[in-house]
Amino acid sequence: DEVVIVSLFVDQTKEVNEAKSLVLQATVDPDTDLANRYAFDQAFKGYLDEKVSFCLLEFNDDLKHIYGIEPMSKFFKEFAQVTKKHFQEGTTYRFDFNQLVVVLPYNDIRSVTKAVKQYFRMLEKYQSKVLTYESFQTAMGVLRYPVVTVERNREKLLRFFDIALEKAKRNKEDHVAYFVFRDYEDELFEQQVIDYLNQAIEEEDIGLVFNQMIDMKNNVVWQYESELILTNLVIDARYLLKIAEKRNRLVALERFHIKQVCEFLVSLEKATE
């Protein structure tokens, strides 16, 4: 009639606390106290099964040479915390040295646009406690998933993020851009043009076209305008310049242009005496 229960208890508090500490070290950025890139990578696949919007933000740290590294680090931490506090519905990660990713749990255009506009209005009004006389400057690229793409390849989607962000940085009005798949197609084409242009400059395989500038009143050709053309690629010269400027190759292209014109004029003078 007597029941004896014998139990053995092992105190695992230390091991559990150590495991929690290691998880925090692996998934939390020590500078901003945000979830880090590793945590984002771990959660990424799960986000692709939901309706979400990825917002990639790049913090402008051009003031570093004025205030120094330590104050700017504190300034960025303040920016990160302000961003996390504003997007309470979403999750904010530190993505790179001066970049954050905010994942919003919705993808309809009205809700996303409203949230983004409210965020930038908040930044305009916010007064920093670290650098009192400075305001946060940032650009944001937005990808609504799976509205604009159903791509599941992680590396490709990260490239879409970058394309949207670069597009936002060129947007001088509100520094926001929404990714559309046409941006990716344009990116591929422009990259092909730049690759071909670099090779053409190296091999000096670019043609020159001269257009007459005519004084209609006196019926006199008073000057010529020169244009560069890629001999094996049909592309407008103005568009070529636009792509070169966008890809930071304009200076190299213009130098090559001037050199080619000068060499042509030397040849012309020798041939015609």
Side-chain angles (χ1 to χ4, degrees), residues 263-273:
E263 288 179 355
F264 173 79
L265 291 175
V266 170
S267 300
L268 183 66
E269 186 179 30
K270 286 180 180 177
T272 61
E273 296 183 350

Side-chain angles (χ1 to χ4, degrees), residues 105-163:
Y106 44 80
N107 60 15
D108 61 289
I109 187 64
R110 289 185 179 180
S111 299
V112 175
T113 303
K114 182 181 178 182
V116 169
K117 285 184 176 180
Q118 286 176 343
Y119 172 68
F120 277 92
R121 278 199 294 267
M122 179 275 296
L123 289 186
E124 286 177 8
K125 295 177 181 178
Y126 184 83
Q127 188 170 4
S128 171
K129 296 174 180 61
V130 177
L131 300 178
T132 312
Y133 300 105
E134 301 295 346
S135 59
F136 298 129
Q137 302 293 327
T138 185
M140 178 191 288
V142 181
L143 187 150
R144 297 184 299 127
Y145 192 88
V147 177
V148 295
T149 179
V150 293
E151 179 65 57
R152 296 186 69 86
N153 181 282
R154 180 175 164 277
E155 295 305 318
K156 210 166 187 179
L157 283 168
L158 293 181
R159 187 173 181 185
F160 293 169
F161 293 178
D162 283 331
I163 291 171

Side-chain angles (χ1 to χ4, degrees), residues 18-61:
E18 284 180 355
K20 286 181 178 178
S21 176
L22 289 172
V23 169
L24 285 174
Q25 288 178 34
T27 60
V28 176
D29 175 60
D31 295 330
T32 60
D33 297 328
L34 297 180
N36 62 12
R37 175 71 176 266
Y38 176 74
F40 174 74
D41 291 342
Q42 293 297 105
F44 187 72
K45 190 174 287 186
Y47 288 136
L48 301 186
D49 296 324
E50 303 172 11
K51 295 179 179 179
V52 296
S53 294
F54 298 100
C55 305
L56 177 61
L57 295 95
E58 184 169 292
F59 178 74
N60 188 340
D61 59 356

